[in-house]
Amino acid sequence: MIIYGVTLLAVCTLTGVALGQILGVLIGIPANVGGVGIAMILLVVIGHTLQQRGVLDLKSEQGIEFFSAIYIPVVVAMAAKQNVYGALTGGPMAITAGVTAVAIGFLLIPLIDKLGRPSNDHDQLTQTTEEQRHV
Amino acid sequence: MFEALDKVSNTYSMVVGFALIGLVMWVSYKLSAKLTAGRIHGSAIAILIGLVLAYIGGVISGGKHGIMDLPLLSGIGIVGGTMLRDFAIVATGFGVHLNELKKAGIVGIIALLMGVLSSFFAGVTIAMAFGYTDAVSLTTIGAGAVTYIVGPVTGAAIGASSEVMALSIAAGLVKSILVMIATPAVARYIGLDNPRTAVLFGGMMGTSSGVAAGLAATDPKLVPYGCLTAAFYTAVGCLMGPSILFFIMLALTGGA
């Protein structure tokens, strides 16, 4: 039944968000510590286990897929309730600070991507060329 | 007659929201196909239209919640509220490959730290350029550049003035909205086309709404990977802002 999928999604979301909130209280910060992330991992792990055991049938999966599919419309609605007016009238300093933070973030992404990427790919490449030379 | 309509839209607010958002999506995908031959993604256009509507709502009502501050349209707020947003984000995680996540684990942690630090110091530098010198204001504005939640949380903890708090919120809003708009445009240049870079992107940008919308407009398949790291970003910011980052600013400005 579709509701089983929705329920699984609901239980995972609630558990994750609750854990995130409790973590926040324990650390002493007024924020949810990774609740959505924890929920997602729960859904992946529990969902896949149930799938393998054949408990989660196609109909149940549709309950999860529906909410996954309305993600973009939900995000569009979220965009429509942002305080865009507040952002644009926040003054030049606020705008410059926000723009600079984003620009630096975008610039750093490819750099960290390169730094953190294991050099295996490269090694393998040189190895194969060397091997080819030997051959 | 307005009262009658008002009653319907109040009772069925979420239904009104679905109807209107569906209309926005339809118009956006038509525009995407007809005007840009699909080059600009329909969802990117839809998010842009959403932001324009939010601006119009703000101008007319003077409120803080965009289009949902207008009568008859409050249902948009339910469809785009935290509850449905997070529910849908978790649902997108169903398609995630655990191996991809494991591979990106360390990258995600590095990105979270680098993301908070780079945004914070970007904000601090700009605040200095605009003439702020005291550690409390500099830290609060820097924290605002992390996210619009970290800004006021930090400001409240270290005793910033309400004007500085408002500025920090505005800086965070600008960041969040810019991430929504700019991500699909720069995605190609920063290699944002695989789960690993999406994890990195979520950690670097961190603003949950910005990351959620930016990835949706770029490639919906990447959404769960970015949102997973972004889920930790505000918490890391709230943790570091009033503590280590404030101490660094105290040391740098020589103030007590």
Side-chain angles (χ1 to χ4, degrees):
Chain A
M1 279 211 284
I2 285 184
I3 187 65
Y4 295 156
V6 181
T7 304
L8 172 65
L9 178 58
V11 170
C12 289
T13 305
L14 290 173
T15 312
V17 173
L19 283 175
Q21 206 68 33
I22 292 170
L23 260 171
V25 173
L26 289 180
I27 303 174
I29 50 173
N32 194 297
V33 183
V36 171
I38 300 170
M40 219 184 273
I41 293 171
L42 283 175
L43 180 71
V44 173
V45 174
I46 299 175
H48 281 256
T49 315
L50 292 179
Q51 251 179 345
Q52 277 165 358
R53 296 193 182 171
V55 183
L56 203 65
D57 59 4
L58 211 65
K59 263 287 192 240
S60 310
E61 277 177 36
Q62 283 175 0
I64 302 170
E65 272 155 18
F66 172 75
F67 284 98
S68 174
I70 63 159
Y71 170 73
I72 288 176
V74 163
V75 162
V76 172
M78 178 198 77
K81 58 167 279 203
Q82 299 294 309
N83 190 3
V84 180
Y85 182 70
L88 292 181
T89 52
M93 196 211 68
I95 294 177
T96 323
V99 171
T100 314
V102 175
I104 291 177
F106 279 140
L107 286 174
L108 284 175
I109 288 173
L111 289 180
I112 298 179
D113 195 18
K114 263 184 216 150
L115 277 180
R117 198 177 279 279
S119 49
N120 294 350
D121 303 350
H122 187 68
D123 289 346
Q124 273 170 3
L125 252 180
T126 47
Q127 257 179 10
T128 45
T129 45
E130 266 174 36
E131 278 165 17
Q132 276 169 354
R133 234 177 276 154
H134 286 299
V135 173
Chain B
M1 198 183 83
F2 183 81
E3 269 174 35
L5 285 180
D6 199 37
K7 189 168 181 346
V8 170
S9 78
N10 271 334
T11 315
Y12 297 91
S13 56
M14 192 172 80
V15 180
V16 175
F18 279 128
L20 284 174
I21 293 302
L23 190 68
V24 170
M25 297 296 293
W26 183 75
V27 170
S28 307
Y29 278 80
K30 279 276 173 237
L31 285 175
S32 163
K34 291 263 159 68
L35 288 184
T36 74
R39 262 195 301 274
I40 300 178
H41 211 285
S43 48
I45 297 176
I47 288 163
L48 200 62
I49 293 179
L51 291 171
V52 171
L53 290 176
Y55 177 77
I56 296 170
V59 171
I60 297 175
S61 72
K64 286 182 178 171
H65 307 289
I67 197 82
M68 72 171 282
D69 283 333
L70 296 183
L72 307 179
L73 297 179
S74 60
I76 305 248
I78 300 180
V79 178
T82 309
M83 182 171 68
L84 263 181
R85 185 196 67 187
D86 288 352
F87 200 50
I89 289 178
V90 175
T92 65
F94 196 58
V96 153
H97 295 285
L98 266 185
N99 287 337
E100 295 285 359
L101 277 184
K102 278 185 200 149
K103 267 193 279 176
I106 294 168
V107 178
I109 295 168
I110 296 171
L112 275 173
L113 289 175
M114 285 300 292
V116 171
L117 287 175
S118 67
S119 288
F120 177 79
F121 285 108
V124 167
T125 311
I126 299 302
M128 279 176 165
F130 275 82
Y132 287 90
T133 49
D134 63 299
V136 170
S137 301
L138 289 173
T139 309
T140 307
I141 295 167
V146 177
T147 73
Y148 57 80
I149 296 171
V150 178
V153 164
T154 303
I158 61 179
S161 70
S162 62
E163 298 92 78
V164 170
M165 298 247 259
L167 278 176
S168 81
I169 295 173
L173 284 173
V174 171
K175 177 183 176 186
S176 165
I177 291 163
L178 190 61
V179 171
M180 294 186 199
I181 301 172
T183 303
V186 301
R188 235 162 12 111
Y189 305 101
I190 59 173
L192 183 58
D193 58 2
N194 59 78
R196 190 189 130 92
T197 318
V199 165
L200 183 50
F201 168 79
M204 282 304 294
M205 292 311 180
T207 145
S208 27
S209 35
V211 169
L215 286 177
T218 307
D219 181 356
K221 277 199 291 295
L222 301 178
V223 165
Y225 300 100
C227 289
L228 186 76
T229 25
F232 292 88
Y233 186 86
T234 290
V236 173
C238 287
L239 196 62
M240 291 171 73
S243 56
I244 181 161
L245 294 176
F246 181 50
F247 299 143
I248 292 174
M249 291 319 296
L250 275 178
L252 285 180
T253 56

